[in-house]
Amino acid sequence: MPKRTDIKKILIIGAGPIVIGQACEFDYSGTQACKALKEEGYEVVLLNSNPATIMTDPNFADRTYVEPVNPETLARIIEKERPDAVLPTLGGQTALNTAVAVAKKGVLDQFGVELIGAKLPAIEKAEDRTLFKQAMEKIGIEVPRSGLAHNYQEAMEIIEHVGFPAIIRPSFTLGGTGGGIAYNREEYEEMVMAGIDASPTDEVLVEESVIGWKEYELEVMRDLADNVVIICSIENLDPMGVHTGDSITVAPAQTLTDKEYQLLRDASIRIIREIGVETGGSNIQFGINPANGRMVVIEMNPRVSRSSALASKATGFPIAKIAAKLAVGYTLDEIPNDITRETFASFEPTIDYVVTKVPRFTFEKFPEANATLTTQMKSVGEVMAIGRTFKESLQKAMRSLEIGSAGFESRLFAGPEDERRGLSDDEWTLLRGKLQVPNWERLWYLGDALRAGMSIEEIHALCYIDPWFLNNIRQIIDMERDLRDKAPLVSRGGDAFRELLLQAKQYGFSDKRLAVLWGITEADVRQFRIKLAIHPVYKRVDTCAAEFEAYTPYLYSTYEQECEAAPSERRKIMILGGGPNRIGQGIEFDYCCVHGVFALGQDGFETIMVNCNPETVSTDYDTSDRLYFEPLTLEDVLEIVAVEKPEGVIVQFGGQTPLKLAVALEQAGVPIIGTSPDAIDRAEDRERFQALLHKLDLKQPENGTARSTEEAEKVAERIGYPVVVRPSYVLGGRAMEIVYTIEQLRRYMTRAVQASPEHPILIDKFLDEAIEVDVDALCDGNEVVIGGIMEHIEEAGIHSGDSACALPPYSLDEPLIEEIKRQTVALALELKVVGLMNIQFAIKDDVVYLLEVNPRASRTVPFVSKATGRPLAQIAARLMAGKTLQDLGVFGYEVPAHVSVKEAVFPFVKFPGVDTLLGPEMKSTGEVMGIDMDFAHAFAKAQLGANVRLPLKGTVFISVKDRDKKHILEPARKIAAAGFKIVATSGTASFLKEKGVAVDVINKVKDGRPHIVDAIKSHQIDLVFNTTFGPESVADSFSIRRTTLMYNVAYFTTVAGMRAAVDGIVAMQRESLDVKPLQEYYPAL
Amino acid sequence: MKAILALADGRVFHGRAFGASGEVTGEVVFNTSMTGYQEILTDPSYRGEIVAMTYPQIGNYGINLEDVESSRPFLAGFIVKEACEFPSNWRSRMSLDAYLKENGVVGIQGIDTRALVRHIRDKGAQTGIISSVDLDPARLVEKARQAPSIVGRDLVREVTCDQPYHWSEGPWRLGEGYLSAEQAPRYKVVAYDFGIKRNILRKLVASGCDVTVVPADTPAEKVLAMNPDGVFLSNGPGDPEPIVYAQENIRKILGKKPVFGICLGHQLLSLALGGKTYKLKFGHRGGNQPVQRGDDGRVEITAQNHGFAVDAASLQDDAIQTHTNLNDNTVEGLEHKLLPAFSVQYHPEASPGPHDAAYLFEKFTRMMDRAKAEEGKN
């Protein structure tokens, strides 16, 4: 069937901000969909609030709405744009839920809009637990025993026939929010009620536990002619019980016979047909009892999912792109396979390698969080690695994680000698616990279990991981022992050593790990490899196991005979990507990498991308000319450079990941282009940085460096409390704290110094109540252009990544702006920046202080680019490749007439027991942008985008620390005038009353009931303003913040945030929010 | 222990021996199925071939008692990147290595199988040799050159049964194994065994057939004398052209009884009708081959295993091309314009592979229904 001509305009819904459970994979899928539909000549309208996405680049859609992704906004856009169809299956659960809400309200019918991809009944059948179960029963496919509970009574009845352990899954939540496993009645009661609370439909599924069963996923595609193909099978290393997003997973399925695999395939086909997903991709999860093969279906996502992105990268089959084309009527046999060119999309990829995905966690950011892995997703990112064996791909994935691991380091043993000792009773308890209770370090403890002599059977009995995986890990540990035993060969060299080294490399051992095992340096190992001519070869990912020739250079390394890299003779530039998403380094950096690729590609360079994050646009095979899906370590990058010999390598787009490699790469003779690694060092090294400031006569907050607690006390004494303390060389404010007293400082030093023994602690004067400003600038070494100046809404002290900010600044005077510009220019020129630079300033009492200079792409580059319409990263890439600002016609800094506000989005809801207070340590996972003609409206949109529902009427609760009282008077008066009722705790209340503001007193939690938490729970509070000072008050108000979070009440924990919120509310009361596409904000583009 | 794979064109791969030690020659081909090695090992169609698996880790789920397509392995040799020594599956009974040893199949592992596959893809399938007893590459290449080619050889005689037998095993069900027919058979089918896969027989049983398997050279008269409702032409190894006796028998059966052919059976039917066959560069072997149906345009994902194909143009007058391979447009299915006879190049019985084309067995029974009705009328 050819494409449909009865539809012309299609609205695609994006996934909104990056949150746990919904990361850049939906930018990848959305971008593919936009491209595919534009290619087909459709007019594409896009809704997505996330400015860091490639899909929201104004040239990817005809009309790009960077507006909150919620039903109200979607309805408005539909009313305004009158699209013929809405495609809701490429923006994750958010897009699907938003589309469903709008459809149910009748908006689609009202405007004659068709849902394409999946129709409403199909979505409901897949998502609604009861309907899904009925559908499965109808086609004779087993599901785990279960029941739906809407209240306590029902929950108690269901557990009678389900039994313990029971799995609790709230309906319609993403990443399984609010779910868990209950092993006893007490846990059950608690979880069921929390789950009902978390579900938008007040519903939870209580399910028979299939914990420990083998877990599989199939990626299925269907077209309008009812052709169905399976793109990929995935087997989870972590058995049932751990969310698949948190599981180590492997493609293809490893331990099923063909007969068993075909049962899954047949079931998947019947399921997609019965559910009625018309076109596109779906993900179906199965559990299999390892004892007898009994198969149950767990769930189906009637849309493109995180696993689809993984499957696309794992096979080379672009699921999202094909899904978009199927949605407009094409059939699979009409769509060519880009990789082979001569075959079509109607086939099932077969692969001749093993893909391993390992999730990346950031529990160090949330020490209070329960780090046990359950059915609720907790990871923030993932890496994928490709190898010719599972052993190779697993070890490649481990070193891709960038958590300081180069392989199976021991958690229990100090070294090879130490392994011979017996473990103490405590260590055995710890080890058994680590194997039994799923946790992110389990992989490494598996290594120790084997080192300690546990048998595969014993280990399996504790962790239920399939013996196949365990035996493969055993082979790695056996090889490790062998490598150590044969260490004497290292100095002797010769054929025996070559054989040993080659075998180790084929098992995936990194040079770094080998160096540890042999007690030599990584550089030594590399020298040995060079001498013995042991280098990786590069094989192609081609969807067909080499049956057809691959035209797409999508490559991975392995240690075999034949290399298929076939590098060209073109002028080429390599861009190093950002690796796995984590807090502090996410999609923003991938955005920059992709833009670099676009610009250099346009300029005629061959672009080479190196990255290991399967969620991203950068790892799409048609983003760059050549894609190396490889770990971003020195070893792996050097090998690629040796094969490709690029004329330039860009390290400043991928965040800290490639930057960390810059010096070593340069020393190895790699041509780093852009700002020199030395300049980067000058900005990052404290002493060199101070010399730089001294030279330019710029101010920074008083500071000092300490290597011991005594030194720290002295420094703090000298510069005066409060001080900001942090370890040197950190990302995302890791372990950064504001310290007000000597006791706090001592406490910090004992913890932090332990955390990073090699690096000193940096101590800065904390500029209380200062305004923080972020600047992104471009420089070609001789000239500087300001990209954007952003004023933070939260005061200095809140990590810049967690702070909302506005562009242009909303409260700064012209002379201050001029001073900021002057300092920016001076710094850029002094550092001879070529490319991007980001500077953070703090302004206190009209004095500008320099906080930090980063001569590289920053987190705010995509936001600034979206806000101003100037593609900073593209310009930067061209500067690095040798162009000047003048060549590119980039001049001056035009302040936009509109206002853009960026707001951060936090994962607190996934981490029960974690405080939501902001501080110098970054905690947000993503961001949204609000854009409008004034600050208040833009701020309100940003809040809505971040799913903070600013109320238009009701009751506001205010409780602030003493120092803030004078500051809240004005916002309190304003919100009272806006018709809100104010309740406050005694201290705040008496202050406001004194100033003539009408206020009711409400109990603090410690004052006795009914107190503020009761009021929030009984929905009497619509807005919470709460600031705290000191550990005691923080502890007292903790339950307030958690409750507001769980009940989705808007809350603000800084005075600046409160002011902005009040302005936003007043503005919304005056004039409701309108929608406008980016293209109308800067029509010139 | 070391082993070498040498190809007739001089390319040599050094690896490690597994399975039986020794030396074998055969046509080196590759199979892209990621699962189903046990079925592949026991598929008689691989007679005379050395099979390389493109998926690198083979043997993960071991060898079980159920997933067999014949009484024993028939292929000449087996090539994998890594053979698993510690199978894991609730049905597994032994390791791949042990099984190959037990059955005398020579294997090689640890070679760059992808390089081998690319070589075969570009240079074409060719004779090769695996040896763990002679490690002199030059001598092995020479032996490969001297070994007989698969073209023009009757390999069917090496795999067909000696005596007719009755088949009653039905479809497989998880936990229950192979079931016997659920109802009394409604059709009497004689199946020519050119190297038949058991799953074809199981599928026929499941479709309500009472199946008698006969040796490949059973005269048509003898088959017709059994008065079957339909005659099935099985898959089998190698080149269809030298199997002249089968072509002659088929010619005698055509028009008298409904005929259904699979793979070699399809090629033999085509030759019997006066068509031509030719050798493909490297054949189709795997479980992901897309085949489009001519009638409704639907695509089925199919299991395939063949090195020869039917020339479409040679049969224009007598047959309709019902199925086409979407990758290379080769003929995948034919139906006689007038007579009750049809055939497919691929394997609707799967095993290993997808079940998309299972409907063809129903097509055969419907054809037999019609023929019976005609007979009743006459």
Side-chain angles (χ1 to χ4, degrees):
Chain A
M1 269 173 276
K3 71 176 179 210
R4 289 176 61 175
T5 50
D6 58 326
I7 50 179
K8 303 215 159 26
K9 194 181 205 180
I10 300 171
L11 195 160
I12 297 177
I13 312 171
I18 304 295
V19 293
I20 289 177
Q22 239 171 234
C24 15
E25 63 267 18
F26 296 109
D27 184 29
Y28 164 65
S29 54
T31 301
Q32 276 203 347
C34 288
K35 270 161 70 176
L37 295 182
K38 275 196 87 168
E39 217 173 84
E40 293 298 336
Y42 292 100
E43 187 177 350
V44 176
V45 180
L46 172 67
L47 165 61
N48 195 356
S49 55
N50 186 344
T53 51
I54 294 292
M55 69 192 299
T56 53
D57 276 351
N59 48 335
F60 276 84
D62 297 283
R63 313 267 290 165
T64 308
Y65 287 89
V66 178
E67 302 280 359
V69 182
N70 59 33
E72 296 77 25
T73 312
L74 178 61
R76 261 174 191 274
I77 296 172
I78 288 171
E79 186 177 354
K80 192 170 162 185
E81 292 287 344
R82 306 295 172 103
D84 301 303
V86 169
L87 180 54
T89 51
L90 294 156
Q93 197 64 37
T94 299
L96 211 56
N97 287 355
T98 309
V100 166
V102 166
K104 283 191 172 164
K105 275 193 203 158
V107 177
L108 299 183
D109 290 340
Q110 189 189 340
F111 295 105
V113 183
E114 184 185 340
L115 271 185
I116 54 173
K119 300 267 185 271
L120 188 58
I123 299 173
E124 292 191 310
K125 225 183 199 180
E127 300 268 309
D128 182 297
R129 302 286 175 183
T130 313
L131 295 177
F132 184 69
K133 194 172 158 189
Q134 284 166 359
M136 292 306 101
E137 275 163 9
K138 192 180 150 201
I139 56 173
I141 293 175
E142 268 195 87
V143 295
R145 287 189 297 274
S146 66
L148 280 171
H150 301 83
N151 53 48
Y152 182 82
Q153 187 84 37
E154 287 178 5
M156 289 303 123
E157 286 164 17
I158 291 162
I159 198 66
E160 291 307 316
H161 74 94
V162 168
F164 290 111
I167 303 203
I168 293 132
R169 297 174 192 270
S171 296
F172 288 101
T173 63
L174 54 94
T177 306
I181 304 161
Y183 290 88
N184 57 49
R185 190 162 290 270
E186 191 188 346
E187 281 176 8
Y188 178 68
E189 284 177 22
E190 191 183 313
M191 284 184 189
V192 146
M193 296 319 288
I196 290 174
D197 241 28
S199 163
T201 52
D202 295 339
E203 183 180 271
V204 296
L205 176 76
V206 179
E207 213 171 51
E208 165 196 5
S209 167
V210 285
I211 290 170
W213 287 27
K214 292 151 80 83
E215 185 171 352
Y216 293 90
E217 291 172 78
L218 264 66
E219 292 299 318
V220 193
M221 293 210 88
R222 185 186 191 207
D223 68 16
L224 282 173
D226 196 25
N227 295 313
V228 184
V229 292
I230 310 297
I231 304 308
C232 188
S233 62
I234 298 173
E235 178 163 345
N236 288 21
L237 179 145
D238 295 292
M240 294 291 301
V242 177
H243 191 281
T244 180
D246 284 355
S247 294
I248 296 170
T249 65
V250 174
Q254 300 292 339
T255 59
L256 291 182
T257 64
D258 185 66
K259 284 199 170 18
E260 294 143 18
Y261 169 70
Q262 297 302 338
L263 291 177
L264 293 185
R265 186 179 182 277
D266 289 346
S268 301
I269 293 170
R270 269 150 65 206
I271 292 168
I272 197 168
R273 286 186 173 142
E274 175 58 29
I275 296 300
V277 174
E278 277 187 339
T279 66
S282 287
N283 158 267
I284 307 177
Q285 289 172 35
F286 296 94
I288 287 186
N289 186 335
N292 56 23
R294 181 184 153 212
M295 173 185 89
V296 294
V297 59
I298 306 299
E299 65 170 21
M300 179 220 210
N301 287 309
R303 55 172 172 86
V304 166
S305 65
R306 177 180 44 258
S307 296
S308 318
L310 183 71
S312 298
K313 302 296 162 78
T315 59
F317 187 102
I319 293 175
K321 173 183 172 170
I322 306 286
K325 296 210 173 189
L326 299 180
V328 296
Y330 281 112
T331 51
L332 286 160
D333 54 297
E334 293 170 332
I335 305 169
N337 179 341
D338 297 338
I339 292 186
T340 62
R341 293 194 193 155
E342 51 190 281
T343 63
F344 292 87
S346 56
F347 79 118
E348 300 194 343
T350 186
I351 64 182
D352 57 1
Y353 44 81
V354 181
V355 173
T356 304
K357 179 262 300 190
V358 181
R360 160 96 192 216
F361 297 89
T362 15
F363 288 117
E364 71 276 10
K365 294 270 183 186
F366 306 99
E368 309 92 339
N370 181 347
T372 299
L373 305 184
T374 64
T375 53
Q376 173 173 312
M377 185 168 161
K378 292 175 178 173
S379 62
V380 295
E382 62 191 21
V383 297
M384 180 181 109
I386 311 176
R388 285 275 283 165
T389 62
F390 170 65
K391 293 178 277 290
E392 183 179 46
S393 76
L394 176 67
Q395 295 217 72
K396 280 174 81 174
M398 289 167 92
R399 68 175 183 267
S400 299
L401 281 170
E402 283 181 70
I403 52 172
S405 172
F408 276 92
E409 290 85 7
S410 175
R411 291 288 198 264
L412 293 175
F413 299 105
E417 293 309 310
D418 197 34
E419 277 173 41
R420 298 208 176 88
R421 79 180 160 90
L423 292 179
S424 68
D425 287 352
D426 283 354
E427 283 174 319
W428 274 117
T429 308
L430 171 79
L431 179 59
R432 291 212 170 87
K434 289 288 184 185
L435 298 180
Q436 192 164 21
V437 182
N439 63 87
W440 73 268
E441 291 175 297
R442 183 155 72 175
L443 196 52
W444 288 269
Y445 280 103
L446 285 172
D448 277 339
L450 292 160
R451 287 185 191 101
M454 281 176 87
S455 70
I456 298 294
E457 293 69 30
E458 284 173 277
I459 298 171
H460 175 73
L462 288 169
C463 65
Y464 300 118
I465 294 173
D466 194 282
W468 186 83
F469 293 111
L470 298 177
N471 272 304
N472 271 283
I473 294 170
R474 178 183 55 74
Q475 285 185 306
I476 293 173
I477 301 300
D478 285 350
M479 168 73 83
E480 177 183 295
R481 206 165 286 152
D482 199 37
L483 288 165
R484 278 173 166 160
D485 291 347
K486 292 182 180 159
L489 285 179
V490 177
S491 49
R492 260 182 266 148
D495 281 355
F497 177 57
R498 186 177 196 280
E499 194 55 34
L500 183 71
L501 183 54
L502 181 61
Q503 213 182 348
K505 296 310 284 182
Q506 283 174 336
Y507 265 48
F509 280 85
S510 63
D511 286 358
K512 206 170 187 170
R513 182 76 189 134
L514 290 173
V516 171
L517 295 174
W518 287 333
I520 54 180
T521 67
E522 185 184 350
D524 292 338
V525 179
R526 183 161 44 252
Q527 283 313 315
F528 282 126
R529 283 201 298 107
I530 292 168
K531 217 176 343 175
L532 297 166
I534 297 176
H535 293 283
V537 295
Y538 295 90
K539 302 258 179 212
R540 293 191 182 209
V541 171
D542 61 7
T543 72
C544 63
E547 185 171 3
F548 303 96
E549 189 173 349
Y551 293 91
T552 322
Y554 170 6
L555 301 142
Y556 67 93
S557 70
T558 186
Y559 284 82
E560 278 197 315
Q561 275 188 333
E562 187 178 79
C563 187
E564 300 169 37
S568 75
E569 295 297 312
R570 291 176 59 189
R571 295 189 66 187
K572 48 180 120 168
I573 291 181
M574 182 184 285
I575 296 180
L576 303 184
N581 269 19
R582 66 210 86 161
I583 289 173
Q585 186 170 309
I587 188 172
E588 298 83 1
F589 297 99
D590 198 65
Y591 172 97
C592 291
C593 291
V594 170
H595 271 255
V597 166
F598 288 162
L600 297 171
Q602 277 164 22
D603 288 357
F605 288 99
E606 180 175 86
T607 54
I608 302 165
M609 186 71 221
V610 184
N611 203 359
C612 56
N613 182 345
E615 300 169 340
T616 57
V617 177
S618 69
T619 52
D620 188 355
Y621 66 81
D622 65 4
T623 293
S624 56
D625 293 312
R626 299 172 71 79
L627 168 65
Y628 283 85
F629 210 105
E630 287 286 287
L632 286 152
T633 68
L634 183 66
E635 169 186 351
D636 297 285
V637 173
L638 283 178
E639 292 292 347
I640 303 168
V641 169
V643 168
E644 287 287 349
K645 302 184 180 63
E647 84 178 55
V649 174
I650 293 180
V651 295
Q652 62 169 264
F653 283 152
Q656 209 67 29
T657 301
L659 221 50
K660 276 191 314 212
L661 303 177
V663 173
L665 287 174
E666 196 179 47
Q667 280 166 2
V670 175
I672 307 283
I673 57 170
T675 312
S676 71
D678 180 62
I680 296 170
D681 187 61
R682 241 178 120 190
E684 293 206 340
D685 181 278
R686 204 154 235 233
E687 276 157 31
R688 296 186 72 192
F689 184 61
Q690 276 173 358
L692 170 76
L693 295 190
H694 190 73
K695 184 175 170 195
L696 297 175
D697 195 21
L698 302 179
K699 274 203 185 67
Q700 74 175 144
E702 270 194 85
N703 60 72
T705 306
R707 280 160 221 278
S708 66
T709 308
E710 297 74 50
E711 261 181 56
E713 285 172 22
K714 270 188 208 141
V715 174
E717 206 62 37
R718 171 171 62 79
I719 62 183
Y721 290 95
V723 293
V724 187
V725 284
R726 67 185 150 127
S728 55
Y729 280 91
V730 291
L731 184 75
R734 179 78 206 92
M736 192 190 274
E737 262 179 46
I738 298 167
V739 169
Y740 289 86
T741 61
I742 188 163
E743 289 76 27
Q744 262 184 300
L745 180 69
R746 283 181 186 148
R747 236 187 354 253
Y748 176 84
M749 287 304 290
T750 31
R751 274 181 297 126
V753 172
Q754 268 174 357
S756 51
E758 300 185 28
H759 294 300
I761 297 299
L762 309 180
I763 303 171
D764 289 88
K765 171 77 189 165
F766 176 58
L767 300 173
D768 223 359
E769 294 179 22
I771 296 170
E772 199 168 324
V773 174
D774 243 276
V775 179
D776 281 310
L778 290 160
C779 179
D780 58 13
N782 295 310
E783 268 178 285
V784 183
V785 165
I786 305 285
I789 302 175
M790 291 149 274
E791 178 176 349
H792 288 208
I793 290 159
E794 280 79 20
E795 57 269 24
I798 309 294
H799 190 278
S800 65
D802 283 355
S803 179
C805 69
L807 186 160
Y810 60 103
S811 80
L812 300 181
D813 300 340
E814 198 50 41
L816 276 174
I817 302 253
E818 284 309 316
E819 176 58 18
I820 286 168
K821 285 187 189 168
R822 186 190 70 80
Q823 296 197 8
T824 302
V825 170
L827 279 161
L829 293 179
E830 176 58 29
L831 286 170
K832 299 199 172 49
V833 167
V834 178
L836 277 160
M837 177 175 74
N838 170 269
I839 309 182
Q840 285 162 30
F841 295 102
I843 299 169
K844 189 172 164 74
D845 305 325
D846 285 344
V847 178
V848 176
Y849 295 89
L850 201 58
L851 297 182
E852 215 176 297
V853 176
N854 291 303
R856 59 169 167 93
S858 72
R859 202 175 292 110
T860 45
V861 164
F863 169 71
V864 174
S865 301
K866 291 277 142 73
T868 62
R870 184 182 260 173
L872 298 187
Q874 295 197 22
I875 299 167
R878 293 192 161 109
L879 298 178
M880 287 185 255
K883 292 259 168 51
T884 64
L885 286 162
Q886 198 157 13
D887 293 340
L888 299 171
V890 177
F891 306 104
Y893 173 53
E894 267 176 61
V895 181
H898 54 267
V899 178
S900 305
V901 171
K902 188 196 86 166
E903 178 57 288
V905 176
F906 299 91
F908 298 125
V909 75
K910 305 277 180 181
F911 297 118
V914 169
D915 202 339
T916 61
L917 270 185
L918 302 183
E921 167 131 17
M922 182 165 165
K923 290 179 175 171
S924 59
T925 52
E927 68 196 69
V928 292
M929 172 164 142
I931 179 166
D932 211 309
M933 294 315 291
D934 61 48
F935 172 77
H937 280 96
F939 181 81
K941 280 184 175 178
Q943 294 304 312
L944 288 176
N947 204 17
V948 174
R949 307 225 140 230
L950 288 181
L952 295 182
K953 58 180 180 6
T955 303
V956 53
F957 166 75
I958 308 180
S959 174
V960 294
K961 62 188 174 204
D962 285 341
R963 296 195 331 208
D964 287 342
K965 290 202 167 104
K966 60 180 186 297
H967 300 302
I968 55 140
L969 186 56
E970 184 220 330
R973 278 185 176 140
K974 261 198 203 166
I975 196 125
F980 279 75
K981 187 182 159 200
I982 299 177
V983 296
T985 48
S986 51
T988 308
S990 57
F991 169 79
L992 288 173
K993 267 185 200 155
E994 221 172 83
K995 301 290 176 186
V997 181
V999 56
D1000 286 349
V1001 180
I1002 191 162
N1003 279 346
K1004 287 180 185 168
V1005 176
K1006 62 176 180 186
D1007 295 342
R1009 306 183 77 150
H1011 49 59
I1012 173 59
V1013 170
D1014 294 321
I1016 296 167
K1017 283 186 176 167
S1018 43
H1019 305 286
Q1020 291 162 5
I1021 304 290
D1022 304 285
L1023 184 59
V1024 169
F1025 290 157
N1026 176 217
T1027 68
T1028 49
F1029 180 75
E1032 198 184 323
S1033 119
V1034 167
D1036 283 351
S1037 50
F1038 171 72
S1039 60
I1040 299 178
R1041 289 184 298 275
R1042 273 317 294 190
T1043 313
T1044 57
L1045 177 76
M1046 294 322 290
Y1047 284 75
N1048 202 11
V1049 175
Y1051 68 96
F1052 294 87
T1053 58
T1054 64
V1055 171
M1058 288 173 212
R1059 281 203 199 103
V1062 170
D1063 287 348
I1065 287 167
V1066 172
M1068 284 204 296
Q1069 282 180 336
R1070 209 167 50 229
E1071 186 192 356
S1072 65
L1073 298 173
D1074 199 5
V1075 293
K1076 190 163 140 182
L1078 283 187
Q1079 287 82 356
E1080 284 181 17
Y1081 284 104
Y1082 34 88
L1085 281 170
Chain B
M1 189 167 56
K2 283 184 179 165
I4 287 178
L5 165 71
L7 303 182
D9 70 1
R11 181 104 187 232
V12 173
F13 294 86
H14 294 265
R16 297 190 307 283
F18 87 114
S21 63
E23 188 169 295
V24 285
T25 60
E27 185 181 62
V28 182
V29 297
F30 63 85
N31 186 306
T32 63
S33 302
M34 294 185 284
T35 53
Y37 54 83
Q38 188 176 349
E39 292 90 331
I40 291 166
L41 287 168
T42 52
D43 178 349
S45 294
Y46 285 105
R47 183 73 185 174
E49 289 178 333
I50 294 175
V51 180
M53 300 301 291
T54 60
Y55 188 65
Q57 297 199 271
I58 299 293
N60 295 354
Y61 53 76
I63 297 287
N64 61 52
L65 302 175
E66 294 176 333
D67 301 354
V68 289
E69 286 303 312
S70 68
S71 57
R72 64 179 177 89
F74 280 97
L75 43 62
F78 203 47
I79 304 171
V80 302
K81 160 78 179 163
E82 185 178 292
C84 179
E85 296 157 15
F86 35 79
S88 173
N89 186 283
W90 65 97
R91 294 195 294 141
S92 172
R93 290 292 177 277
M94 68 170 89
S95 74
L96 173 62
D97 181 59
Y99 180 73
L100 295 186
K101 281 199 169 80
E102 200 175 291
N103 286 281
V105 177
V106 174
I108 181 171
Q109 65 167 327
I111 70 161
D112 187 341
T113 47
R114 186 173 162 89
L116 172 67
V117 170
R118 280 162 47 86
H119 188 79
I120 296 170
R121 180 193 78 200
D122 294 340
K123 304 277 167 27
Q126 55 183 296
T127 310
I129 184 166
I130 303 176
S131 183
S132 54
V133 288
D134 182 354
L135 297 176
D136 176 14
R139 205 159 48 221
L140 290 173
V141 169
E142 195 46 41
K143 283 184 196 168
R145 287 190 181 135
Q146 299 301 325
S149 156
I150 208 159
V151 180
R153 258 167 84 195
D154 179 0
L155 290 164
V156 167
R157 287 190 192 278
E158 300 176 20
V159 297
T160 188
C161 54
D162 302 330
Q163 295 293 324
Y165 60 92
H166 186 258
W167 183 267
S168 59
E169 185 179 275
W172 179 81
R173 197 175 293 159
L174 180 73
E176 297 170 52
Y178 293 106
L179 311 173
S180 42
E182 280 173 9
Q183 53 205 26
R186 289 170 290 136
Y187 313 94
K188 204 173 155 194
V189 169
V190 172
Y192 266 108
D193 176 12
F194 303 124
I196 199 161
K197 282 172 67 189
R198 286 185 180 171
N199 217 46
I200 293 177
L201 299 170
R202 296 175 194 128
K203 282 292 202 186
L204 288 169
V205 169
S207 308
C209 301
D210 175 77
V211 186
T212 303
V213 185
V214 297
D217 58 358
T218 307
E221 296 74 12
K222 210 168 163 185
V223 168
L224 291 170
M226 295 162 83
N227 195 25
D229 297 316
V231 174
F232 177 79
L233 311 175
S234 87
N235 64 296
D239 187 349
E241 268 188 53
I243 324 294
V244 180
Y245 52 92
Q247 298 162 27
E248 279 164 5
N249 284 324
I250 293 166
R251 229 172 273 133
K252 290 178 192 161
I253 292 165
L254 272 170
K256 302 197 178 71
K257 294 291 171 192
V259 172
F260 174 26
I262 288 178
C263 201
L264 184 71
H266 156 81
Q267 295 162 2
L268 291 170
L269 175 65
S270 302
L271 291 170
L273 289 169
K276 286 196 181 73
T277 56
Y278 62 97
K279 191 170 194 299
L280 294 165
K281 189 174 183 189
F282 54 86
H284 297 161
R285 289 173 193 85
N288 69 341
Q289 295 276 334
V291 167
Q292 189 158 38
R293 294 205 290 254
D295 54 358
D296 59 3
R298 290 275 293 275
V299 179
E300 45 204 57
I301 304 302
T302 68
Q304 303 205 2
N305 170 21
H306 62 108
F308 293 82
V310 173
D311 174 9
S314 69
L315 275 171
Q316 278 171 355
D317 298 338
D318 297 321
I320 298 163
Q321 184 174 338
T322 54
H323 295 79
T324 306
N325 188 307
L326 274 175
N327 285 344
D328 60 5
N329 294 313
T330 51
V331 177
E332 290 291 356
L334 292 169
E335 186 164 354
H336 197 278
K337 285 183 181 168
L338 305 166
L339 306 174
F342 74 105
S343 61
V344 287
Q345 179 62 74
Y346 56 93
H347 290 268
E349 83 284 6
S351 196
H355 300 160
D356 293 8
Y359 68 93
L360 289 166
F361 291 93
E362 307 306 320
K363 181 174 172 169
F364 185 39
T365 57
R366 279 201 309 276
M367 195 175 260
M368 289 190 283
D369 281 335
R370 276 199 304 275
K372 279 209 255 190
E374 294 277 316
E375 242 168 69
K377 262 189 270 168
N378 296 340

